Amino acid sequence: MSIVITNIGELVTNDPGLGEDALGLLRDAAVVIDGGTVAWVGPTERAPAADEQYDAAGRAALPGFVDSHAHLVFAGERAEEFAARMSGRPYTAGGIRTTVARTRAASDDDLRANLRRLVDEMARQGTTTVECKSGYGLSVEQEERSLRIAAETVDEVTFLGAHVVPPEYADDPGGYVRLVTNEMLAACAPHARWVDVFCEDGAFDADQSREILTAGMRAGLTPRVHANQLGPGPGVRLAVELGAASADHCTHLTDADVDALASAATVATLLPGVDFSTRQPYPDARRLIDAGATVALATDCNPGSCYTSSMPFCIALAVRDLRMTPAEAVWAATAGGARALRRDDVGRLTPGARADVLVLDAPSHIHLAYRPGVPQVAAVWKAGRRVQA
């Protein structure tokens, strides 16, 4: 079944060779979808025939958002923690343990239902590619269960047994690192593509993080790093040293950190929803971009530090508070996320790409930041299948 989307007022292709500027903008454009992939893009007047037609009526279209950082396998919520934080209590990583207790007590069906609810919620807001981490089980059985459930629904799965040290290992963090790098990794690696670690004071130091990531690499997983969220630290430089796909958060960076990211393929994935929800400083995307680093945007959807699934919200924050232009923020939420996942089939609308298409109820991508908080999704296709009316 082929579909032609016609009369697109502004099409973001993310291919500068096809149109204007870095977004590869085309005007009065069309996209042909065939067999789950993009078969053709170009002017509406030259669009080939297809089995079905969708008239975009002058609206903007862009690739589906690529959310490259989320924690979606969990039970319960932490609204009271959020309210307390807004009343002046500073955020620390300790709240993770609350979610661990609830997740361990939940059934498979409860975890599965909550995951699917959140992925559907993301799709309604234009997200068509989702990365999902474990990290709320923190035992061999529970981490394996989380990853197995995640792999049923999303196509990018990350082993994050090194989220925090669980209570039962509070007096033996070295013992927990040994568990993560041996029995837990062996059980979890078959379900994951990535290995991650929270390299931060109160979680795992540089030596522990390196041990965990290199063990994951020996098991065939590619590293990602929670880096420099709560303060300056070694996370970014460790990510670059190990060739990680991304260093995520990047809130507190030294000049050496910025230089390292600018000279490496490691993507700086910024998560402004976290800083909004915790009243921390925002990362300085302008500094990174001007230095030549590759920047992605993601939600970090989780029940504690950032319970939003909205990439449009993160785009608006990035423009307002991270000093990104609307074009830079849209690129970071699509092509940037694809870079952070080392994917070349998503985050762009060019022939051969997966047919993930978002039609906005707006004439331009600028409206994502210009009209924050306003529902603007008119239609979404994922791999050529309509997922949102």
Side-chain angles (χ1 to χ4, degrees), residues 53-116:
Q53 179 175 341
Y54 176 90
D55 186 350
R59 299 180 178 96
L62 59 153
F65 298 126
V66 180
D67 192 342
S68 61
H69 185 127
H71 305 250
L72 305 179
V73 181
F74 65 85
E77 48 85 47
R78 283 150 54 191
E80 291 184 2
E81 176 189 312
F82 172 80
R85 196 162 61 235
M86 294 301 101
S87 300
R89 188 180 77 192
Y91 170 70
T92 66
I96 293 169
R97 295 180 179 88
T98 302
T99 299
V100 170
R102 292 172 179 169
T103 301
R104 288 177 173 182
S107 70
D108 286 11
D109 286 345
D110 287 342
L111 295 178
R112 187 175 288 115
N114 192 50
L115 168 65
R116 290 175 178 170

Side-chain angles (χ1 to χ4, degrees), residues 57-207:
R59 299 180 178 96
L62 59 153
F65 298 126
V66 180
D67 192 342
S68 61
H69 185 127
H71 305 250
L72 305 179
V73 181
F74 65 85
E77 48 85 47
R78 283 150 54 191
E80 291 184 2
E81 176 189 312
F82 172 80
R85 196 162 61 235
M86 294 301 101
S87 300
R89 188 180 77 192
Y91 170 70
T92 66
I96 293 169
R97 295 180 179 88
T98 302
T99 299
V100 170
R102 292 172 179 169
T103 301
R104 288 177 173 182
S107 70
D108 286 11
D109 286 345
D110 287 342
L111 295 178
R112 187 175 288 115
N114 192 50
L115 168 65
R116 290 175 178 170
R117 174 183 67 84
L118 290 168
V119 171
D120 288 347
E121 186 176 278
M122 290 173 159
R124 291 195 298 272
Q125 299 172 88
T127 298
T128 51
T129 302
V130 179
E131 182 263 9
C132 180
K133 304 177 191 296
S134 64
Y136 293 126
L138 306 187
S139 71
V140 173
E141 178 185 3
Q142 293 287 343
E143 284 291 297
E144 189 277 338
R145 176 174 76 139
S146 293
L147 291 167
R148 176 168 36 84
I149 289 171
E152 295 172 359
T153 300
V154 303
D155 53 5
E156 295 290 343
V157 179
T158 300
F159 169 48
L160 183 59
H163 202 180
V164 295
V165 176
E168 60 268 29
Y169 280 88
D171 297 326
D172 185 17
Y176 186 65
V177 171
R178 287 190 293 276
L179 180 71
V180 170
T181 56
N182 289 282
E183 185 180 355
M184 189 183 292
L185 177 62
C188 291
H191 304 294
R193 180 185 177 197
W194 309 97
V195 59
D196 200 343
V197 61
F198 191 8
C199 182
E200 199 78 50
D201 285 345
F204 299 90
D205 65 23
D207 290 340

Side-chain angles (χ1 to χ4, degrees), residues 152-340:
E152 295 172 359
T153 300
V154 303
D155 53 5
E156 295 290 343
V157 179
T158 300
F159 169 48
L160 183 59
H163 202 180
V164 295
V165 176
E168 60 268 29
Y169 280 88
D171 297 326
D172 185 17
Y176 186 65
V177 171
R178 287 190 293 276
L179 180 71
V180 170
T181 56
N182 289 282
E183 185 180 355
M184 189 183 292
L185 177 62
C188 291
H191 304 294
R193 180 185 177 197
W194 309 97
V195 59
D196 200 343
V197 61
F198 191 8
C199 182
E200 199 78 50
D201 285 345
F204 299 90
D205 65 23
D207 290 340
Q208 293 168 330
S209 297
R210 182 180 288 103
E211 182 178 352
I212 290 161
L213 294 172
T214 54
M217 293 167 70
R218 287 193 298 270
L221 305 181
T222 303
R224 337 180 56 78
V225 183
H226 283 60
N228 301 59
Q229 176 189 0
L230 304 179
V236 162
R237 278 165 287 169
L238 178 63
V240 171
E241 172 194 329
L242 296 180
S246 66
D248 297 22
H249 289 288
C250 296
T251 307
H252 299 274
L253 300 182
T254 65
D255 288 345
D257 295 328
V258 174
D259 290 344
L261 288 166
S263 63
T266 299
V267 174
T269 299
L270 309 183
L271 311 168
V274 176
D275 309 300
F276 175 90
S277 297
T278 59
R279 285 184 174 157
Q280 285 189 271
Y282 287 100
D284 189 347
R286 181 82 272 128
R287 181 185 179 199
L288 286 161
I289 292 169
D290 288 349
T294 301
V295 170
L297 289 173
T299 64
D300 195 9
C301 182
N302 74 81
S305 63
C306 185
Y307 202 10
T308 183
S309 59
S310 175
M311 287 290 275
F313 174 64
C314 293
I315 288 170
L317 289 178
V319 172
R320 170 62 179 81
D321 292 303
L322 276 60
R323 302 196 299 150
M324 299 177 80
T325 67
E328 288 169 342
V330 166
W331 189 94
T334 53
R339 292 263 188 101

Side-chain angles (χ1 to χ4, degrees), residues 319-383:
V319 172
R320 170 62 179 81
D321 292 303
L322 276 60
R323 302 196 299 150
M324 299 177 80
T325 67
E328 288 169 342
V330 166
W331 189 94
T334 53
R339 292 263 188 101
L341 294 173
R342 295 185 174 170
R343 297 276 297 269
D344 60 10
D345 61 326
V346 296
R348 61 185 178 92
L349 288 176
T350 57
R354 196 171 78 178
D356 294 353
V357 186
L358 163 60
V359 176
L360 295 178
D361 192 10
S364 167
H365 69 278
I366 297 171
H367 281 237
L368 288 163
Y370 176 49
R371 303 196 70 211
V374 177
Q376 297 188 73
V377 176
V380 180
W381 287 263
K382 177 177 179 178

